[in-house]
Coordinates of all heavy atoms in Angstrom, one line a residue:
M114 N -30.5 -28.4 28.9 CA -30.0 -28.2 30.3 C -31.1 -28.6 31.3 O -32.3 -28.1 31.2 CB -29.6 -26.7 30.6 CG -29.2 -26.5 32.0 SD -28.2 -24.9 32.1 CE -29.1 -23.8 31.2
T115 N -30.9 -29.5 32.2 CA -31.9 -29.9 33.2 C -31.9 -28.9 34.3 O -31.0 -28.2 34.6 CB -31.6 -31.3 33.7 OG1 -30.3 -31.2 34.4 CG2 -31.5 -32.3 32.6
R116 N -33.1 -28.9 35.0 CA -33.2 -28.0 36.1 C -32.3 -28.2 37.2 O -31.9 -27.2 37.9 CB -34.7 -28.0 36.6 CG -35.6 -27.0 36.0 CD -36.9 -27.0 36.6 NE -37.5 -28.4 36.5 CZ -38.6 -28.8 37.1 NH1 -39.3 -28.0 37.8 NH2 -39.1 -30.0 36.9
E117 N -31.9 -29.4 37.4 CA -31.0 -29.7 38.6 C -29.6 -29.2 38.4 O -28.8 -29.0 39.3 CB -30.9 -31.2 38.9 CG -32.3 -31.9 39.1 CD -32.9 -32.3 37.8 OE1 -32.4 -33.1 37.1 OE2 -34.0 -31.7 37.4
M118 N -29.2 -29.0 37.1 CA -27.8 -28.5 36.9 C -27.7 -27.0 37.0 O -28.5 -26.3 36.5 CB -27.5 -28.9 35.4 CG -27.0 -30.3 35.3 SD -26.6 -30.6 33.5 CE -24.9 -31.0 33.6
T119 N -26.6 -26.6 37.6 CA -26.3 -25.2 37.6 C -25.7 -24.8 36.2 O -25.2 -25.7 35.5 CB -25.4 -24.8 38.7 OG1 -24.1 -25.4 38.5 CG2 -25.9 -25.2 40.1
V120 N -25.6 -23.6 36.0 CA -24.9 -23.1 34.7 C -23.5 -23.6 34.7 O -23.1 -24.1 33.6 CB -25.0 -21.6 34.6 CG1 -24.1 -21.1 33.5 CG2 -26.4 -21.1 34.4
R121 N -22.8 -23.5 35.8 CA -21.4 -24.0 35.8 C -21.2 -25.5 35.6 O -20.3 -25.9 34.9 CB -20.7 -23.5 37.0 CG -20.4 -22.0 37.0 CD -19.9 -21.4 38.2 NE -20.1 -20.0 38.2 CZ -20.0 -19.2 39.2 NH1 -19.7 -19.7 40.4 NH2 -20.3 -18.0 39.1
Q122 N -22.2 -26.2 36.2 CA -22.1 -27.7 35.9 C -22.3 -28.0 34.5 O -21.7 -28.9 33.9 CB -23.1 -28.4 36.8 CG -22.7 -28.5 38.3 CD -23.9 -29.0 39.2 OE1 -25.0 -28.7 38.9 NE2 -23.5 -29.7 40.2
F123 N -23.3 -27.2 33.9 CA -23.6 -27.4 32.5 C -22.4 -27.1 31.6 O -22.0 -27.8 30.7 CB -24.8 -26.5 32.1 CG -25.1 -26.6 30.6 CD1 -25.9 -27.7 30.2 CD2 -24.7 -25.7 29.7 CE1 -26.3 -27.8 28.8 CE2 -25.0 -25.8 28.4 CZ -25.8 -26.8 27.9
I124 N -21.7 -26.0 31.9 CA -20.5 -25.6 31.2 C -19.4 -26.7 31.3 O -18.8 -27.1 30.3 CB -19.9 -24.2 31.7 CG1 -20.9 -23.1 31.3 CG2 -18.5 -24.0 31.2 CD1 -20.5 -21.7 31.9
I125 N -19.2 -27.2 32.5 CA -18.2 -28.2 32.7 C -18.6 -29.5 31.9 O -17.7 -30.0 31.2 CB -18.0 -28.6 34.2 CG1 -17.3 -27.4 34.9 CG2 -17.2 -29.8 34.4 CD1 -17.4 -27.5 36.4
A126 N -19.8 -29.8 31.9 CA -20.3 -31.0 31.1 C -20.0 -30.8 29.6 O -19.6 -31.7 28.9 CB -21.7 -31.3 31.4
E127 N -20.4 -29.6 29.2 CA -20.2 -29.3 27.7 C -18.7 -29.4 27.3 O -18.3 -29.9 26.3 CB -20.8 -28.0 27.4 CG -22.3 -28.0 27.4 CD -22.9 -28.9 26.3 OE1 -22.5 -28.8 25.2 OE2 -23.7 -29.8 26.7
L128 N -17.9 -28.8 28.2 CA -16.4 -28.6 27.8 C -15.7 -30.0 27.9 O -14.7 -30.1 27.4 CB -15.8 -27.6 28.7 CG -16.3 -26.1 28.5 CD1 -15.4 -25.2 29.4 CD2 -16.2 -25.7 27.1
E129 N -16.3 -30.9 28.7 CA -15.7 -32.2 28.7 C -16.0 -33.0 27.5 O -15.3 -33.9 27.1 CB -16.2 -33.0 30.0 CG -15.6 -32.5 31.3 CD -16.1 -33.2 32.5 OE1 -17.2 -33.9 32.4 OE2 -15.5 -33.0 33.6
K130 N -17.1 -32.6 26.8 CA -17.4 -33.3 25.5 C -16.6 -32.8 24.4 O -16.3 -33.5 23.4 CB -18.9 -33.0 25.2 CG -19.9 -33.9 26.1 CD -21.3 -33.8 25.6 CE -22.1 -32.9 26.5 NZ -23.4 -32.6 26.0
G131 N -16.2 -31.5 24.4 CA -15.4 -30.9 23.3 C -15.3 -29.4 23.5 O -15.9 -28.9 24.4
S132 N -14.4 -28.8 22.7 CA -14.1 -27.4 22.9 C -15.3 -26.5 22.4 O -15.9 -26.8 21.4 CB -12.8 -27.1 22.2 OG -12.9 -27.2 20.8
M133 N -15.4 -25.4 23.1 CA -16.5 -24.4 22.8 C -15.9 -23.0 23.0 O -15.1 -22.8 24.0 CB -17.7 -24.6 23.6 CG -18.5 -25.9 23.3 SD -20.0 -26.0 24.4 CE -21.2 -25.3 23.3
T134 N -16.4 -22.1 22.2 CA -16.0 -20.7 22.5 C -17.1 -20.1 23.5 O -18.1 -20.7 23.7 CB -16.0 -19.9 21.2 OG1 -17.4 -19.9 20.7 CG2 -15.1 -20.5 20.2
A135 N -16.8 -18.9 24.0 CA -17.7 -18.2 24.9 C -19.1 -18.0 24.1 O -20.1 -18.1 24.7 CB -17.2 -16.9 25.4
R136 N -19.0 -17.8 22.8 CA -20.2 -17.5 22.0 C -21.0 -18.8 21.9 O -22.2 -18.8 22.1 CB -19.8 -17.0 20.6 CG -21.0 -16.7 19.8 CD -20.6 -16.0 18.5 NE -20.0 -14.7 18.9 CZ -19.4 -13.9 18.0 NH1 -19.3 -14.3 16.7 NH2 -18.9 -12.7 18.4
D137 N -20.3 -20.0 21.7 CA -21.0 -21.2 21.7 C -21.7 -21.5 23.0 O -22.9 -21.9 23.0 CB -20.0 -22.4 21.5 CG -19.3 -22.4 20.1 OD1 -19.9 -21.8 19.2 OD2 -18.2 -22.9 20.0
L138 N -21.0 -21.2 24.1 CA -21.6 -21.4 25.4 C -22.8 -20.5 25.6 O -23.9 -20.9 26.1 CB -20.6 -21.2 26.5 CG -19.6 -22.3 26.7 CD1 -18.5 -21.9 27.6 CD2 -20.2 -23.6 27.2
S139 N -22.7 -19.2 25.2 CA -23.7 -18.3 25.5 C -25.0 -18.7 24.7 O -26.1 -18.5 25.2 CB -23.3 -16.9 25.1 OG -23.2 -16.7 23.7
K140 N -24.8 -19.3 23.5 CA -25.9 -19.7 22.7 C -26.6 -21.0 23.4 O -27.8 -21.1 23.4 CB -25.5 -20.1 21.3 CG -25.4 -18.9 20.4 CD -25.1 -19.4 19.0 CE -24.6 -18.2 18.1 NZ -23.8 -18.7 17.0
A141 N -25.7 -21.9 23.8 CA -26.2 -23.1 24.4 C -27.0 -22.9 25.7 O -28.0 -23.5 26.0 CB -25.0 -24.1 24.7
I142 N -26.5 -21.9 26.5 CA -27.1 -21.7 27.8 C -28.1 -20.5 27.7 O -28.9 -20.3 28.6 CB -26.1 -21.3 28.9 CG1 -24.9 -22.3 28.8 CG2 -26.6 -21.4 30.3 CD1 -23.7 -22.0 29.6
R143 N -28.1 -19.8 26.6 CA -28.9 -18.6 26.4 C -28.7 -17.5 27.5 O -29.5 -17.0 28.2 CB -30.4 -19.0 26.5 CG -30.8 -19.9 25.3 CD -32.2 -20.5 25.6 NE -32.4 -21.7 24.8 CZ -32.9 -21.7 23.6 NH1 -33.4 -20.6 23.1 NH2 -33.1 -22.9 22.9
I144 N -27.4 -17.2 27.6 CA -27.0 -16.1 28.4 C -26.1 -15.2 27.6 O -25.5 -15.7 26.6 CB -26.2 -16.5 29.7 CG1 -25.0 -17.4 29.3 CG2 -27.2 -17.3 30.6 CD1 -24.1 -17.7 30.5
P145 N -25.9 -13.9 28.0 CA -25.0 -13.0 27.2 C -23.5 -13.6 27.2 O -23.1 -14.2 28.2 CB -25.1 -11.7 27.9 CG -26.3 -11.8 28.7 CD -26.5 -13.2 29.1
E146 N -22.8 -13.3 26.2 CA -21.4 -13.8 26.0 C -20.6 -13.3 27.2 O -19.7 -14.0 27.7 CB -20.9 -13.3 24.7 CG -19.7 -14.1 24.2 CD -19.3 -13.7 22.8 OE1 -20.2 -13.4 22.0 OE2 -18.1 -13.7 22.5
K147 N -20.8 -12.1 27.7 CA -20.1 -11.5 28.8 C -20.3 -12.4 30.1 O -19.3 -12.6 30.8 CB -20.6 -10.1 29.0 CG -19.6 -9.2 29.7 CD -20.2 -7.8 29.7 CE -19.6 -6.9 30.8 NZ -20.2 -5.6 30.9
E148 N -21.5 -12.9 30.2 CA -21.8 -13.7 31.4 C -21.1 -15.1 31.3 O -20.6 -15.6 32.2 CB -23.3 -13.9 31.5 CG -23.9 -13.2 32.7 CD -25.4 -13.4 32.7 OE1 -25.9 -14.6 33.0 OE2 -26.2 -12.5 32.4
A149 N -21.1 -15.6 30.0 CA -20.4 -16.9 29.8 C -19.0 -16.8 30.2 O -18.4 -17.7 30.8 CB -20.6 -17.3 28.3
N150 N -18.3 -15.6 29.8 CA -16.9 -15.4 30.2 C -16.7 -15.4 31.7 O -15.8 -15.9 32.2 CB -16.4 -14.1 29.5 CG -15.9 -14.4 28.1 OD1 -15.2 -15.3 27.9 ND2 -16.3 -13.5 27.2
A151 N -17.7 -14.7 32.4 CA -17.6 -14.6 33.8 C -17.7 -16.0 34.4 O -16.9 -16.4 35.3 CB -18.6 -13.7 34.4
H152 N -18.6 -16.8 33.9 CA -18.7 -18.2 34.4 C -17.5 -19.0 34.2 O -17.0 -19.8 35.0 CB -19.9 -18.9 33.8 CG -21.2 -18.5 34.3 ND1 -21.6 -18.7 35.7 CD2 -22.3 -17.9 33.8 CE1 -22.8 -18.3 35.9 NE2 -23.3 -17.8 34.7
M153 N -16.9 -18.8 33.0 CA -15.7 -19.5 32.6 C -14.5 -19.3 33.6 O -13.8 -20.2 34.0 CB -15.1 -19.0 31.2 CG -15.8 -19.6 30.1 SD -15.8 -21.4 30.1 CE -14.1 -21.7 30.4
E154 N -14.4 -18.0 34.1 CA -13.3 -17.7 35.0 C -13.6 -18.5 36.3 O -12.6 -19.0 36.9 CB -13.3 -16.2 35.3 CG -12.8 -15.5 34.0 CD -12.5 -14.0 34.3 OE1 -12.2 -13.7 35.4 OE2 -12.6 -13.3 33.3
H155 N -14.8 -18.6 36.8 CA -15.1 -19.4 38.0 C -14.9 -20.9 37.8 O -14.4 -21.6 38.6 CB -16.5 -19.1 38.4 CG -16.7 -17.8 39.0 ND1 -16.3 -17.5 40.3 CD2 -17.2 -16.6 38.5 CE1 -16.5 -16.2 40.6 NE2 -17.1 -15.6 39.5
V156 N -15.3 -21.3 36.6 CA -15.1 -22.8 36.3 C -13.6 -23.1 36.3 O -13.2 -24.1 36.9 CB -15.7 -23.1 34.9 CG1 -15.2 -24.4 34.4 CG2 -17.3 -23.1 34.9
A157 N -12.8 -22.2 35.7 CA -11.4 -22.5 35.7 C -10.8 -22.6 37.1 O -10.0 -23.5 37.4 CB -10.7 -21.4 35.0
K158 N -11.3 -21.8 38.0 CA -10.8 -21.8 39.4 C -11.4 -23.0 40.2 O -10.7 -23.5 41.2 CB -11.2 -20.5 40.1 CG -10.4 -19.3 39.7 CD -10.8 -18.1 40.4 CE -10.3 -16.9 39.8 NZ -11.2 -15.7 40.0
S159 N -12.5 -23.5 39.8 CA -13.2 -24.5 40.6 C -12.8 -25.9 40.2 O -13.2 -26.9 40.9 CB -14.7 -24.4 40.6 OG -15.2 -24.6 39.3
L160 N -12.1 -26.1 39.1 CA -11.7 -27.4 38.7 C -10.6 -28.0 39.6 O -9.7 -27.3 40.0 CB -11.2 -27.4 37.2 CG -12.2 -27.1 36.1 CD1 -11.5 -27.0 34.8 CD2 -13.3 -28.2 36.1
H161 N -10.8 -29.3 39.9 CA -9.8 -30.0 40.7 C -9.1 -31.0 39.8 O -9.7 -31.6 39.0 CB -10.4 -30.6 41.9 CG -11.0 -29.6 42.8 ND1 -10.3 -28.7 43.6 CD2 -12.3 -29.3 43.1 CE1 -11.1 -27.9 44.2 NE2 -12.3 -28.2 44.0
S162 N -7.8 -31.2 40.2 CA -7.0 -32.3 39.5 C -7.8 -33.6 39.5 O -8.3 -33.9 40.5 CB -5.7 -32.4 40.2 OG -4.9 -33.3 39.6
P163 N -7.8 -34.4 38.5 CA -7.0 -34.3 37.2 C -7.7 -33.4 36.2 O -7.1 -33.3 35.1 CB -6.9 -35.7 36.8 CG -8.2 -36.3 37.2 CD -8.6 -35.6 38.5
K164 N -8.8 -32.8 36.5 CA -9.5 -32.0 35.4 C -8.7 -30.6 35.3 O -8.4 -30.0 36.3 CB -10.9 -31.7 35.8 CG -11.8 -32.9 35.7 CD -13.2 -32.6 36.0 CE -14.1 -33.8 35.9 NZ -15.5 -33.5 36.2
R165 N -8.5 -30.2 34.1 CA -8.0 -28.9 33.9 C -8.5 -28.2 32.7 O -8.9 -28.9 31.7 CB -6.4 -28.9 33.9 CG -5.9 -29.7 32.8 CD -4.4 -30.0 33.0 NE -3.9 -30.8 31.9 CZ -3.1 -30.3 31.0 NH1 -2.7 -29.0 31.0 NH2 -2.7 -31.0 29.9
L166 N -8.6 -26.9 32.8 CA -9.1 -26.1 31.6 C -8.0 -25.9 30.6 O -6.9 -25.4 31.0 CB -9.7 -24.8 32.1 CG -10.3 -23.9 31.0 CD1 -11.7 -24.5 30.6 CD2 -10.5 -22.5 31.5
I167 N -8.3 -26.2 29.4 CA -7.4 -25.9 28.3 C -8.0 -24.8 27.5 O -9.1 -24.8 27.1 CB -7.3 -27.1 27.3 CG1 -6.9 -28.4 28.1 CG2 -6.2 -26.9 26.2 CD1 -5.6 -28.5 28.7
I168 N -7.1 -23.7 27.3 CA -7.6 -22.6 26.5 C -6.9 -22.7 25.1 O -5.7 -22.7 25.0 CB -7.2 -21.3 27.1 CG1 -7.9 -21.2 28.5 CG2 -7.7 -20.1 26.2 CD1 -7.5 -19.9 29.2
E169 N -7.7 -23.0 24.1 CA -7.1 -23.0 22.7 C -7.0 -21.5 22.3 O -8.0 -20.8 22.2 CB -8.0 -23.8 21.8 CG -8.0 -25.3 22.2 CD -9.0 -26.1 21.5 OE1 -9.8 -25.5 20.6 OE2 -9.1 -27.3 21.7
P170 N -5.8 -21.0 22.0 CA -5.6 -19.6 21.8 C -6.3 -19.0 20.6 O -6.5 -19.7 19.6 CB -4.1 -19.5 21.7 CG -3.6 -20.8 21.3 CD -4.5 -21.8 21.9
P171 N -6.6 -17.7 20.7 CA -7.2 -17.0 19.6 C -6.2 -17.0 18.4 O -5.0 -17.0 18.6 CB -7.4 -15.6 20.1 CG -7.3 -15.6 21.5 CD -6.4 -16.8 21.9
V172 N -6.7 -17.0 17.2 CA -5.9 -17.0 16.0 C -6.4 -15.9 15.0 O -7.6 -15.7 14.8 CB -6.0 -18.3 15.2 CG1 -5.1 -18.3 14.0 CG2 -5.6 -19.5 16.2
C173 N -5.5 -15.2 14.4 CA -5.8 -14.1 13.4 C -6.3 -14.8 12.2 O -5.6 -15.7 11.6 CB -4.6 -13.3 13.1 SG -4.9 -12.1 11.8
N174 N -7.5 -14.4 11.7 CA -8.0 -15.0 10.5 C -7.3 -14.6 9.2 O -7.4 -15.3 8.2 CB -9.5 -14.6 10.3 CG -10.4 -15.3 11.2 OD1 -10.1 -16.4 11.7 ND2 -11.5 -14.7 11.6
K175 N -6.5 -13.6 9.3 CA -5.8 -13.1 8.1 C -4.4 -13.6 7.9 O -4.1 -14.2 6.9 CB -5.8 -11.6 8.1 CG -5.4 -11.0 6.8 CD -5.5 -9.4 6.8 CE -5.0 -8.8 5.5 NZ -5.0 -7.4 5.6
C176 N -3.6 -13.5 9.0 CA -2.2 -13.9 8.9 C -1.9 -15.1 9.6 O -0.7 -15.6 9.6 CB -1.2 -12.7 9.2 SG -1.1 -12.5 11.0
G177 N -2.8 -15.6 10.4 CA -2.6 -16.9 11.2 C -1.8 -16.7 12.5 O -1.4 -17.7 13.1
F178 N -1.6 -15.4 12.9 CA -0.9 -15.2 14.2 C -1.7 -15.8 15.3 O -2.9 -15.7 15.4 CB -0.8 -13.7 14.4 CG -0.2 -13.3 15.7 CD1 1.2 -13.3 15.8 CD2 -0.9 -13.0 16.8 CE1 1.8 -12.9 17.0 CE2 -0.3 -12.7 18.0 CZ 1.1 -12.6 18.1
I179 N -0.9 -16.6 16.2 CA -1.5 -17.3 17.3 C -1.2 -16.5 18.6 O -0.1 -16.2 18.9 CB -1.0 -18.7 17.4 CG1 -1.4 -19.5 16.1 CG2 -1.6 -19.4 18.6 CD1 -0.7 -20.8 16.0
F180 N -2.3 -16.2 19.3 CA -2.1 -15.4 20.6 C -1.8 -16.4 21.7 O -2.5 -16.5 22.7 CB -3.4 -14.7 20.9 CG -3.7 -13.6 19.9 CD1 -4.3 -13.9 18.7 CD2 -3.5 -12.3 20.2 CE1 -4.6 -12.9 17.8 CE2 -3.9 -11.3 19.3 CZ -4.4 -11.6 18.1
S181 N -0.6 -17.0 21.6 CA -0.3 -18.1 22.5 C 0.0 -17.6 23.9 O 0.0 -18.4 24.9 CB 0.9 -18.9 21.9 OG 2.0 -18.1 21.7
E182 N 0.4 -16.4 24.1 CA 0.8 -15.9 25.4 C -0.4 -15.4 26.2 O -0.3 -15.1 27.4 CB 1.8 -14.7 25.3 CG 3.1 -15.1 24.7 CD 3.8 -16.3 25.4 OE1 3.8 -16.2 26.7 OE2 4.2 -17.2 24.8
R183 N -1.6 -15.3 25.5 CA -2.7 -14.7 26.1 C -3.4 -15.7 27.1 O -3.6 -16.9 26.8 CB -3.7 -14.4 25.0 CG -4.8 -13.4 25.5 CD -5.7 -13.0 24.4 NE -6.8 -12.2 24.8 CZ -6.8 -10.9 24.9 NH1 -5.7 -10.2 24.5 NH2 -7.8 -10.2 25.3
R184 N -3.6 -15.2 28.3 CA -4.2 -16.1 29.3 C -5.7 -15.6 29.7 O -6.3 -16.1 30.6 CB -3.4 -16.1 30.6 CG -2.1 -16.8 30.4 CD -2.3 -18.3 30.3 NE -1.1 -19.1 30.0 CZ -0.8 -19.4 28.8 NH1 -1.6 -19.1 27.8 NH2 0.3 -20.1 28.5
R185 N -6.1 -14.6 29.0 CA -7.5 -14.1 29.3 C -8.5 -14.9 28.5 O -8.2 -15.5 27.5 CB -7.5 -12.6 29.0 CG -6.7 -11.8 30.0 CD -6.6 -10.4 29.5 NE -8.0 -9.8 29.4 CZ -8.2 -8.6 28.9 NH1 -7.2 -7.9 28.5 NH2 -9.5 -8.2 28.8
F186 N -9.7 -14.8 28.9 CA -10.8 -15.6 28.3 C -11.5 -14.8 27.2 O -12.2 -15.4 26.4 CB -11.8 -16.0 29.3 CG -11.3 -16.9 30.4 CD1 -11.7 -16.8 31.7 CD2 -10.3 -17.8 30.1 CE1 -11.1 -17.6 32.7 CE2 -9.8 -18.7 31.0 CZ -10.2 -18.6 32.3
T187 N -11.3 -13.6 27.1 CA -12.0 -12.8 26.0 C -11.1 -12.7 24.8 O -9.9 -13.0 24.8 CB -12.2 -11.4 26.5 OG1 -11.0 -10.8 27.0 CG2 -13.3 -11.4 27.7
S188 N -11.7 -12.4 23.7 CA -11.0 -12.4 22.4 C -10.3 -11.0 22.3 O -10.9 -10.0 22.6 CB -12.0 -12.5 21.3 OG -11.4 -12.8 20.1
P189 N -9.1 -11.0 21.7 CA -8.4 -9.7 21.5 C -9.1 -9.0 20.4 O -9.8 -9.6 19.6 CB -7.0 -10.2 21.1 CG -7.1 -11.6 20.7 CD -8.3 -12.2 21.3
S190 N -9.0 -7.7 20.4 CA -9.7 -6.9 19.4 C -9.0 -6.8 18.0 O -9.7 -6.8 17.0 CB -10.0 -5.5 19.9 OG -8.7 -4.9 20.2
R191 N -7.7 -6.9 18.0 CA -7.0 -6.9 16.7 C -5.7 -7.6 16.8 O -5.1 -7.8 17.8 CB -6.9 -5.5 16.1 CG -6.0 -4.6 17.0 CD -5.6 -3.4 16.2 NE -6.8 -2.5 15.9 CZ -6.8 -1.5 15.1 NH1 -5.7 -1.2 14.5 NH2 -7.9 -0.8 14.9
C192 N -5.2 -8.0 15.6 CA -3.9 -8.7 15.5 C -2.8 -7.7 15.7 O -2.7 -6.7 15.0 CB -3.9 -9.4 14.2 SG -2.3 -10.2 13.9
P193 N -1.8 -8.0 16.6 CA -0.6 -7.1 16.7 C 0.3 -7.2 15.5 O 1.1 -6.2 15.3 CB 0.0 -7.7 18.0 CG -0.3 -9.1 18.0 CD -1.7 -9.2 17.4
R194 N 0.2 -8.2 14.7 CA 1.1 -8.3 13.6 C 0.6 -7.6 12.3 O 1.3 -6.9 11.7 CB 1.4 -9.8 13.3 CG 2.6 -10.0 12.4 CD 3.2 -11.4 12.5 NE 2.4 -12.4 11.8 CZ 2.6 -13.7 11.8 NH1 3.7 -14.1 12.5 NH2 1.9 -14.5 11.2
C195 N -0.7 -7.9 12.0 CA -1.2 -7.3 10.7 C -2.3 -6.3 10.9 O -2.8 -5.8 10.0 CB -1.6 -8.4 9.8 SG -3.1 -9.2 10.2
R196 N -2.7 -6.1 12.2 CA -3.8 -5.1 12.5 C -5.2 -5.6 12.1 O -6.1 -4.8 12.2 CB -3.5 -3.7 11.9 CG -2.2 -3.2 12.4 CD -2.3 -2.7 13.8 NE -1.0 -2.4 14.4 CZ -0.8 -2.3 15.7 NH1 -1.8 -2.5 16.5 NH2 0.4 -2.1 16.2
H197 N -5.3 -6.8 11.6 CA -6.6 -7.3 11.1 C -7.5 -7.4 12.4 O -7.0 -7.8 13.5 CB -6.4 -8.6 10.4 CG -7.6 -9.2 9.8 ND1 -8.3 -8.5 8.8 CD2 -8.3 -10.3 10.1 CE1 -9.4 -9.3 8.5 NE2 -9.4 -10.4 9.2
E198 N -8.8 -7.2 12.2 CA -9.7 -7.3 13.4 C -10.5 -8.6 13.4 O -11.3 -8.8 14.3 CB -10.6 -6.1 13.4 CG -9.8 -4.8 13.7 CD -10.7 -3.6 13.9 OE1 -11.9 -3.7 13.8 OE2 -10.1 -2.5 14.1
G199 N -10.3 -9.4 12.4 CA -11.0 -10.7 12.4 C -10.2 -11.7 13.1 O -9.3 -12.3 12.6
I200 N -10.6 -12.0 14.4 CA -9.9 -12.9 15.2 C -10.8 -14.1 15.6 O -11.9 -13.9 16.0 CB -9.4 -12.2 16.5 CG1 -8.7 -10.9 16.2 CG2 -8.6 -13.2 17.4 CD1 -7.3 -11.1 15.5
Q201 N -10.2 -15.3 15.4 CA -10.9 -16.5 15.8 C -10.9 -16.5 17.3 O -9.8 -16.5 17.9 CB -10.2 -17.7 15.2 CG -10.8 -19.0 15.6 CD -12.2 -19.3 15.0 OE1 -12.4 -18.9 13.9 NE2 -13.0 -19.9 15.8
P202 N -12.0 -16.5 18.0 CA -11.9 -16.3 19.5 C -11.4 -17.6 20.2 O -11.3 -18.7 19.6 CB -13.4 -16.1 19.9 CG -14.2 -16.7 18.8 CD -13.4 -16.6 17.5
P203 N -10.9 -17.4 21.4 CA -10.4 -18.6 22.1 C -11.5 -19.6 22.4 O -12.6 -19.3 22.6 CB -9.9 -18.0 23.5 CG -10.7 -16.8 23.7 CD -10.9 -16.2 22.3
A204 N -11.1 -20.9 22.3 CA -12.0 -22.0 22.6 C -11.5 -22.7 23.9 O -10.3 -22.7 24.2 CB -12.1 -23.0 21.5
F205 N -12.5 -23.2 24.6 CA -12.2 -23.9 25.9 C -12.6 -25.3 25.9 O -13.6 -25.7 25.3 CB -12.9 -23.2 27.0 CG -12.9 -21.7 27.0 CD1 -13.9 -20.9 26.5 CD2 -11.7 -21.0 27.4 CE1 -13.9 -19.5 26.5 CE2 -11.6 -19.6 27.3 CZ -12.7 -18.9 26.9
R206 N -11.8 -26.1 26.6 CA -12.2 -27.5 26.8 C -11.6 -28.0 28.1 O -10.7 -27.4 28.7 CB -11.8 -28.4 25.6 CG -10.3 -28.5 25.4 CD -10.0 -29.3 24.1 NE -8.7 -29.1 23.7 CZ -7.6 -29.9 24.2 NH1 -7.9 -30.8 25.1 NH2 -6.4 -29.6 23.8
I207 N -12.2 -29.0 28.6 CA -11.6 -29.6 29.9 C -11.0 -30.9 29.6 O -11.6 -31.8 29.0 CB -12.8 -29.7 30.9 CG1 -13.2 -28.3 31.4 CG2 -12.3 -30.5 32.1 CD1 -14.4 -28.3 32.2
D208 N -9.7 -31.0 30.0 CA -8.9 -32.2 29.8 C -8.9 -32.9 31.1 O -8.7 -32.4 32.2 CB -7.5 -31.7 29.4 CG -6.8 -32.8 28.6 OD1 -7.5 -33.7 28.1 OD2 -5.6 -32.7 28.5
V209 N -9.0 -34.2 31.0 CA -8.9 -35.1 32.2 C -7.8 -36.1 32.0 O -7.9 -36.9 31.1 CB -10.2 -35.8 32.5 CG1 -10.1 -36.6 33.8 CG2 -11.4 -34.9 32.5
R210 N -6.8 -36.0 32.8 CA -5.7 -37.0 32.7 C -5.0 -37.2 34.0 O -5.2 -36.4 34.9 CB -4.7 -36.6 31.6 CG -4.0 -35.3 31.8 CD -2.9 -35.1 30.8 NE -3.5 -34.9 29.4 CZ -2.7 -34.6 28.4 NH1 -1.4 -34.4 28.6 NH2 -3.3 -34.4 27.2
Ligands
ZN438 ZN1 -2.9 -11.0 11.7

């Protein structure tokens, strides 16, 4: 990350390259995951057409349940179908079209 870039500009640049989870971002920027999520919400609001944020939904590691209705940026704590707690967290990317 260069000094001239803000954290949000960095996040946008990374998500344009490919999808990342909040954990990936927190590692890349060296900030807590909670902060990465807070930045994500601002990034989502600040994007202008044709750029848009795509949220790849969380998936249960056990039964494959897809949390397709979920619009939040954080990972659910457990699967509503099988109660398993191993959930693949949501990933984010920016689509331009
Ligand atoms: Zn499940």
Side-chain angles (χ1 to χ4, degrees):
M114 179 161 45
T115 62
R116 265 184 304 172
E117 305 83 66
M118 275 180 124
T119 65
V120 170
R121 283 174 203 165
Q122 284 171 329
F123 179 81
I124 290 174
I125 289 169
E127 286 300 306
L128 297 184
E129 283 176 350
K130 284 187 256 172
S132 63
M133 289 179 99
T134 63
R136 182 168 299 169
D137 295 335
L138 284 169
S139 74
K140 278 185 196 157
I142 314 168
R143 296 165 199 269
I144 57 172
E146 203 171 323
K147 205 173 159 188
E148 252 178 69
N150 273 314
H152 281 299
M153 280 305 310
E154 293 190 26
H155 286 281
V156 165
K158 284 177 197 156
S159 67
L160 290 176
H161 296 291
S162 181
K164 289 184 184 180
R165 63 198 180 102
L166 182 75
I167 307 293
I168 302 176
E169 295 171 358
V172 181
C173 173
N174 285 332
K175 193 175 178 188
C176 76
F178 179 82
I179 299 170
F180 294 75
S181 55
E182 297 304 315
R183 194 175 177 92
R184 289 287 173 267
R185 289 172 58 188
F186 296 143
T187 53
S188 195
S190 57
R191 65 166 65 191
C192 176
R194 193 158 77 183
C195 73
R196 302 283 167 203
H197 187 63
E198 293 185 2
I200 308 292
Q201 177 71 36
F205 312 104
R206 63 188 165 84
I207 291 171
D208 204 17
V209 184
R210 62 171 67 170

